[in-house]
Amino acid sequence: MSQVDNRNSSAAKRARTDGGRREDDWTCPSCGNVNFSFRTTCNMRNCTQSRPADHNGKSAPKHMQSPQSFSSPGRYLGSGGPPPVYMGGSPYGSSLFNGSMPPYDVPFSGGSPYHFNYSSRLPAGAHYRPLHMSGPPPPYHGGSMMGSGGMYGMPPPPMNRYGLGIAMGPAAAAAMMPRSGYYSDEKSQKRDSTRENDWTCPNCGNVNFSFRIVCNMRKCNTPKPGPPQLQQGGSSDQISKQKAPEGSWKCDNCGNINYPFRNKCNRQNCGADKPGDHSNESPSNAPEENDQSNIASGRRPCCSGRQVASMHLSLYLSLVLKGVSDGLARGKNPKEMDDVVDALWKEHMRHSDASEMLNKDIISHFVLRLVYCRSEELKKWFLSMETALFRHRFRLQNFEAQRAIVGEFGLPYKAVTGAELESLKERLGQVVRSLGQISPSVEAVYYKVPFEEVPDLVAGRRVLIQKGHAFVAGSQLVSLAVTQFRSHISKALILTNRKWMTTIREREKDRLTPIVEALSTTYVGPDYSQSSEYADISLKDIDQVSKSSFPLCMRHLFEKLREDHHLKHGGRMQLGLFLKGVGLKLDDALAFWRAEFSKKVGSERFDKEYAYGIRHNYGKEGKRTDYTPYACQKIISSAPGVGDHHGCPYRHFSEDNLRAALGRMGLSSRGMEDVMDKVRNKHYQLACTLTFEAVYGTSCDVGINHPNQYFEESQKILKSKTPAAPV
Amino acid sequence: MTREEIESREDESMMDAPQINKPKPEEFFNVNYLRIYYGKSPFSFFLTIKTFDLLRKPNNKYIIDGKHPGCDEYYFGRREFSFTLENDVYLRYKSFKNASSMEDAIRSHFPYKIDIGAVYSVDPDKRHAYSQTGSNVFTPVERELVFDIDITDYDDVRYCCSGADVCSKCWPLMTVAIKVIHTSLTEDFGFKHILWVFSGRRGVHCWVCDPKARRMTNEQRSAVAEYFRVYKGNENNARKVALMGYSLHPFLARSYVDYLKGFFEGELQATQSIFSTKDKYEKILAMISDEDIQSELRGKWENSARSSLSEEAISLVRWEQLKNTLQSKKHKAPTLRMCVEEIVFTFTYPRIDLEVSKQMNHLLKAPFCVHPKTGRVCVPIDPNNCDEFDPLAVPTLSQLIEEINSGGSRMDVDDDSDDSDTSLLGKSVKFFRSSFLEPLLKSCKEEIESSYKTKIGKSKDSLSW
């Protein structure tokens, strides 16, 4: 099904691309760029070749999309199996559904997305608490059939299968699950066997699922033979006898049996109205007006109680993850984070009944997967927060429990013993000492793993690496577990995302989609890519504002730019995006940077080499992403090198330089000592907050998390101090 | 991505601006020469481009001789190339079905520079066709692990040149860098297929082509890059290297003992005399976090300013003084424990441009390209004999043209005849083939065959089951 969808959309796209090149367009003889007919010079950056006289003569083959372009990757995927990175999915998502899974497509050919099925094997209430590693069998899932829903990384519908709760329609559910598992009365579990209602294409011989109305073979599209109405109706009736709940209705148009709550036929490409139901209540209007409180209190007409309950549950986990995110942003060290996680977990997730807690954990996790699978940014956030949560919960376990969990991953790594360990002892001791322990106490247990498995340990030089193997100490087990956990969730999110984009979003647009969309937007921090009400500075006050309201990092960059008339890439990015967030318009930004850079490199070179980057930041070039200003977290973790001035002054300046810089901001010596104290303890954001408080003489309870936030807070204060005078 | 690219180009050209007294670049490099270089190919630019990139990939040998069933014939078609044309016109995301279409494109565009990017999930040239299907199908899937080291990054520790200039006095810094990184890549990470290439002007590139390296994720690449990172200097902190803990990590210890210490006390002192003048030693004193020691040493050195010794000898004497002083006060403060090592690392440890290594989609100039500013060919460097490499002896485009004109070179494109040794590039090509390409090809062949066998085996198993 998804294959059909995808092909259609790419076919449409192809048509558009082809049409995109009109007859009068011309190809640049110098760089090959295809230009609109109205252009007189080539539009390619830095080319500006003028239009040749016989522009119609030559066409660039690379812009002509030939049909082959689609067959080649398809063939590649079909014959060789999906490439490793795709984790079993192809761009078309085909191999998941066309019934002929390649036999060597191991990772996802069975079982849950994790190799381990931790929660099901352990009695609830075991001495360690459930983690999100579990496969999805909470008690009220309809047996194994729902369990297998986890196979493709989708949340299993946490409710029963009759469409209550967040249950999908049958087609959506089919999209999420291996078809063989869907009908519980079907005994045939073999993937490659043909099922009763499947039909064979008379044209190409492909065996299609029963619900397809056209052949699924690429480029075939032959309609299903026989009177589709009758056959469809027949099979649906058969299903309805077995399992359609009361109140289900049959579509007049295609004969599909729909669940009682549907107002429109659920069959793809049908969508006919429910017969005799022309009530004014149009579900498609409702979603837009829904706000968080509505969702939480369940006033949504088409939300059942269960759906609300599970969405509600997911809010708790959201709160925990948000707390983790805050903790990390404040630069807490691992020990402090352990406490933070422990407290958050107790506050939000604890339940008197251990199995309820397990459910809460699982349901909320899978709901959030759906919520956060939808864009790269959301995915990244969710992934890093879940991983952080996992890391700290793992650390809270004792060693035996940790080993048991790692055992659940089924990692094949053996402890190093005997002569090998002896021969490494000296160097292992060196590693331990290099990490700051005086006595070289080599641990008893070391695991030998490929170095790729423990990137964080490699990056910190915290392990011995030899011939491609890292020697991981027993106390570093967490890194191994985290890597596994992270890659599992990451794969699952990618697959969930694919299903969401191709099928479920559209199918659930009246029910699930609005909720899912609302849930994620509620929990992301303020977006500084749009300038706020306080901002909107213009070129002429930029100097004055930089002195009054810029945080130290930006002030430093700004001064260096004025001084050297040049900043390196990192500095241009950090300052440029900040200024964008502050409200400097693109034209002003270009004028600002040009004024400085032209003093050093000349305005011609500026236009040629730097203007592109600035326009890029504003989403006017390249892939046209509107970049967001860097948050403190990112700035602190950046690594300025030779000639660089970006980064967080509190972290990257030496003490003398920082003192001098703070002095220029007008800090008293006492205030400075407080700041330096925080810096020494590596609380860079707190140091910045203290600087803020010292400069403006007010307390700043929220803390500084973002340079643009610093700017806004300071503008607020300055405005309230001088209400009459415009800043 | 694009912007990083700009950055690197911009820096290059910026560095160039003040060198007016140099011969005009046209003497080394111009389009007409390039035409000959690409076009007539008597010394086989294509052979090398082809072999490097086509054959580097697991299966390409098989594209050419046919039909190993396990090979992926679209691999090359999904590799991104980028061309930099005249006037910095920059074409990204080019891809070619096969070697001859690439050859044609090169001959019609005459790119000043050819960069090699990642292998993507879909043909980069057709990425727009996939961009609107919603999910993110256009992603890099394989990429050699690359490293880029530029002499420019050493500007604060070399006193002979600055910017893009290189001379025989500062090039040893690169040599040490190659040794340190190469040893670690082979000893620690267990990589076998490593190619070092002169970047044409002011640095070296490293390509790690093992299958394992090619398939690493961005996160794993960052991890390897961070493993190599010691130098954390920025403009606002005098202490550029901070070594914590009570001993060096085994990797750093090996680098220090085997390469850095000897180089620092020998060659670096001889060429740069890093303690000889006040400007120079003040920089080093700033790295010592204890003020008493700083002033003690400063006192000694200021008084001995008028010595009859040579610069190098003065420098060596002062280094001994500094070592002894620090040794005797070792237990005074924890920050002094590693101070000697920190100074050595600051001056000699490789300074890798980490951003290049961290992302799969970063582009890097292809070997055997011609550097547009110097006209020098990006020839491979033998890491085992890197001491002998002289960047100033690398043949330039004009020299090659001369060679062709005089009829000296009779290298054929398709077979490596023995007389290749006599031509300017012959040695490099031969080295490239025998010590990099052939072992790589062999192991790729083995890999394909074994994976094909297991595939066959598996499908048989599942059939019988």
Side-chain angles (χ1 to χ4, degrees), chain A residues 6 9-10 13 16-17 30-32 44-47 62 65 69-70 72-73 75-76 80 84-86 91-92 103-104 106 376 427 429-431 433-438 451-453 455-456 458-459 461-469 486 497-498 501 556 560 566 568-569 572-573 600-601 605 608-610 612-613 616-617 627 639-645 652-654 657, chain B residues 2-4 6-7 9-11 13-14 17 72-74 78 85-91 94 109 121-122 125-126 128-141 152-153 156 186-191 212 215-216 219-220 222-224 226-238 244-254 349 351 455 458-459 462 465:
Chain A
N6 268 322
S9 65
S10 41
K13 167 67 187 161
R16 235 173 289 142
T17 329
S30 163
C31 69
M44 172 63 72
R45 194 163 60 92
N46 292 343
C47 177
K62 71 176 177 116
Q65 299 289 350
S69 62
F70 293 90
S72 41
R75 237 161 88 210
Y76 158 69
V85 183
Y86 266 120
Y92 301 126
Y104 42 80
V106 191
E376 278 307 312
R427 289 199 282 163
Q430 249 181 331
V431 176
R433 262 177 297 145
S434 77
L435 293 172
Q437 290 176 26
I438 301 178
F451 75 88
E452 297 99 318
E453 302 277 332
D456 58 327
V458 173
R461 280 196 296 270
R462 286 187 284 146
V463 280
L464 175 67
I465 306 177
Q466 205 174 34
K467 291 288 174 199
H469 290 283
R486 194 185 158 97
N497 172 262
R498 192 163 299 148
M501 295 311 246
H556 176 68
K560 281 294 160 194
H566 189 268
K568 292 189 82 172
H569 178 74
R572 294 201 300 273
M573 290 297 285
K600 175 137 183 171
V601 300
R605 268 191 67 198
K608 210 170 165 183
E609 287 163 24
Y610 299 90
Y612 180 88
H616 197 280
N617 280 349
Y627 288 88
V642 186
D644 277 332
H645 287 284
H652 296 115
F653 279 25
S654 64
N657 285 352
Chain B
T2 327
R3 268 173 285 125
E4 281 156 28
I6 296 167
E7 168 76 12
R9 283 190 293 130
E10 152 234 308
D11 282 351
S13 27
M14 202 176 73
D72 168 7
E73 48 186 308
Y74 296 104
R78 291 183 285 125
L85 309 184
E86 221 174 335
N87 299 327
D88 284 345
V89 175
Y90 189 59
L91 308 177
K94 296 191 79 69
H109 283 302
S121 50
V122 297
D125 225 7
K126 292 162 186 145
H128 292 304
Y130 298 93
S131 65
Q132 292 202 343
T133 52
S135 45
N136 227 346
V137 277
F138 183 66
T139 45
V141 291
T152 323
D153 291 333
D156 59 333
T186 49
E187 295 292 314
D188 297 351
F189 293 98
F191 293 126
K212 195 163 109 173
R215 289 178 201 133
M216 287 203 311
E219 196 196 2
Q220 289 160 345
S222 306
V224 176
E226 289 293 328
Y227 182 80
F228 288 132
R229 188 167 82 137
V230 169
Y231 186 84
K232 302 188 178 178
N234 68 68
E235 292 300 296
N236 299 293
N237 199 337
M244 300 300 175
Y246 291 87
S247 82
L248 291 170
H249 184 274
F251 154 63
L252 298 180
R254 182 189 56 213
Y349 187 81
R351 301 179 177 185
K455 267 185 194 171
K458 267 186 194 162
S459 59
S462 61
W465 182 73

Side-chain angles (χ1 to χ4, degrees), chain A residues 282-516:
Chain A
S282 154
S284 60
N285 288 342
E288 276 81 40
E289 289 145 26
N290 259 303
D291 59 16
Q292 190 55 38
S293 64
N294 257 347
I295 290 168
S297 59
R299 263 179 270 137
R300 231 175 141 244
C302 54
C303 281
S304 75
R306 283 237 140 138
Q307 194 170 354
V308 170
S310 56
M311 289 302 172
H312 199 77
L313 283 180
S314 72
L315 296 185
Y316 289 111
L317 185 61
S318 289
L319 288 172
V320 174
L321 295 181
K322 185 80 176 124
V324 172
S325 160
D326 280 353
L328 289 175
R330 278 158 197 272
K332 296 223 190 281
N333 66 33
K335 283 255 155 51
E336 293 168 334
M337 278 307 292
D338 282 348
D339 300 340
V340 168
V341 167
D342 201 35
L344 282 167
W345 193 262
K346 281 190 177 129
E347 186 186 343
H348 297 297
M349 297 301 280
R350 203 156 49 181
H351 199 281
S352 52
D353 184 351
S355 73
E356 272 301 308
M357 190 167 84
L358 180 65
N359 285 337
K360 194 170 169 181
D361 189 11
I362 291 172
I363 294 170
S364 54
H365 169 73
F366 278 100
V367 171
L368 288 191
R369 254 194 211 182
L370 198 56
V371 170
Y372 285 100
C373 77
R374 293 170 307 113
S375 77
E376 278 307 312
E377 214 164 315
L378 292 173
K379 242 191 277 182
K380 213 168 143 192
W381 186 85
F382 181 65
L383 196 58
S384 54
M385 291 314 140
E386 275 284 10
T387 312
L389 180 60
F390 175 84
R391 180 186 290 273
H392 293 289
R393 293 183 67 199
F394 189 92
R395 286 163 57 103
L396 295 173
Q397 312 293 336
N398 62 39
F399 184 59
E400 284 312 306
Q402 287 183 349
R403 286 184 77 160
I405 294 168
V406 172
E408 291 287 328
F409 283 103
L411 297 177
Y413 310 124
K414 293 230 166 59
V416 183
T417 48
E420 193 176 8
L421 187 62
E422 277 308 312
S423 70
L424 293 169
K425 268 233 157 92
E426 189 192 336
R427 289 199 282 163
L428 289 170
Q430 249 181 331
V431 176
V432 174
R433 262 177 297 145
S434 77
L435 293 172
Q437 290 176 26
I438 301 178
S439 59
S441 58
V442 178
E443 284 185 50
V445 189
Y446 277 90
Y447 295 92
K448 185 178 179 180
V449 303
F451 75 88
E452 297 99 318
E453 302 277 332
V454 283
D456 58 327
L457 297 181
V458 173
R461 280 196 296 270
R462 286 187 284 146
V463 280
L464 175 67
I465 306 177
Q466 205 174 34
K467 291 288 174 199
H469 290 283
F471 294 87
V472 178
S475 60
Q476 294 169 323
L477 217 50
V478 61
S479 295
L480 262 180
V482 162
T483 312
Q484 293 292 322
F485 176 82
R486 194 185 158 97
S487 78
H488 285 311
I489 301 254
S490 172
K491 285 174 189 172
L493 280 175
I494 290 171
L495 286 166
T496 310
N497 172 262
R498 192 163 299 148
K499 297 293 170 307
W500 174 261
M501 295 311 246
T502 51
T503 19
I504 302 164
R505 178 173 60 180
E506 184 55 27
R507 196 168 306 287
E508 294 292 324
K509 68 173 189 289
D510 294 341
R511 305 173 343 110
L512 214 50
T513 307
I515 303 179
V516 161

Side-chain angles (χ1 to χ4, degrees), chain A residues 207-266:
Chain A
V207 179
N208 291 291
F209 288 131
S210 55
F211 57 80
R212 297 208 195 281
I213 45 179
V214 294
C215 176
N216 192 38
M217 177 62 78
R218 223 149 27 85
K219 289 189 172 167
C220 179
N221 275 335
T222 313
K224 184 172 178 175
Q229 302 280 334
L230 191 73
Q231 204 178 336
Q232 290 289 328
S235 66
S236 302
D237 278 344
Q238 201 184 337
I239 293 164
S240 75
K241 264 176 228 145
Q242 290 159 4
K243 41 176 87 84
E246 235 173 83
S248 300
W249 54 276
K250 183 174 168 182
C251 174
D252 284 346
N253 193 19
C254 69
N256 185 36
I257 305 290
N258 290 291
Y259 287 116
F261 56 81
R262 293 206 193 283
N263 293 323
K264 287 189 170 172
C265 176
N266 192 39

Side-chain angles (χ1 to χ4, degrees), chain B residues 114-275:
Chain B
I114 300 170
D115 291 289
I116 301 179
V119 175
Y120 284 83
S121 50
V122 297
D123 186 343
D125 225 7
K126 292 162 186 145
R127 67 195 185 285
H128 292 304
Y130 298 93
S131 65
Q132 292 202 343
T133 52
S135 45
N136 227 346
V137 277
F138 183 66
T139 45
V141 291
E142 277 195 26
R143 164 67 163 158
E144 291 73 23
L145 177 63
V146 293
F147 297 96
D148 180 9
I149 310 175
D150 271 346
I151 196 84
T152 323
D153 291 333
Y154 288 84
D155 275 1
D156 59 333
V157 294
R158 56 180 187 148
Y159 301 104
C160 50
C161 325
S162 68
D165 292 341
V166 173
C167 70
S168 55
K169 280 185 177 173
C170 48
W171 185 257
L173 286 165
M174 283 285 134
T175 311
V176 164
I178 294 176
K179 286 178 188 165
V180 168
I181 303 297
H182 188 80
T183 312
S184 177
L185 285 173
T186 49
E187 295 292 314
D188 297 351
F189 293 98
F191 293 126
K192 293 194 181 69
H193 304 288
I194 303 166
L195 177 70
W196 288 91
V197 185
F198 175 50
S199 74
R201 180 162 66 168
R202 52 173 178 152
V204 290
H205 296 161
C206 172
W207 299 76
V208 185
C209 304
D210 293 54
K212 195 163 109 173
R214 290 200 310 259
R215 289 178 201 133
M216 287 203 311
T217 61
N218 282 344
E219 196 196 2
Q220 289 160 345
R221 279 159 212 270
S222 306
V224 176
E226 289 293 328
Y227 182 80
F228 288 132
R229 188 167 82 137
V230 169
Y231 186 84
K232 302 188 178 178
N234 68 68
E235 292 300 296
N236 299 293
N237 199 337
R239 201 170 153 210
K240 314 281 185 189
V241 172
L243 298 167
M244 300 300 175
Y246 291 87
S247 82
L248 291 170
H249 184 274
F251 154 63
L252 298 180
R254 182 189 56 213
S255 307
Y256 181 72
V257 173
D258 291 356
Y259 303 116
L260 303 180
K261 191 158 181 279
F263 173 71
F264 183 88
E265 295 183 343
E267 208 163 349
L268 189 78
Q269 288 283 17
T271 55
Q272 308 286 346
S273 313
I274 52 175
F275 289 90

Side-chain angles (χ1 to χ4, degrees), chain B residues 348-388:
Chain B
T348 59
Y349 187 81
R351 301 179 177 185
I352 302 176
D353 182 351
L354 295 176
E355 297 309 315
V356 178
S357 310
K358 284 179 176 174
Q359 297 283 325
M360 279 179 114
N361 60 359
H362 215 291
L363 297 156
L364 199 65
K365 184 156 40 155
F368 289 102
C369 270
V370 179
H371 194 288
K373 296 275 159 49
T374 61
R376 293 192 195 280
V377 180
C378 305
V379 294
I381 300 174
D382 181 357
N384 299 318
N385 296 312
C386 51
D387 286 317
E388 293 159 20

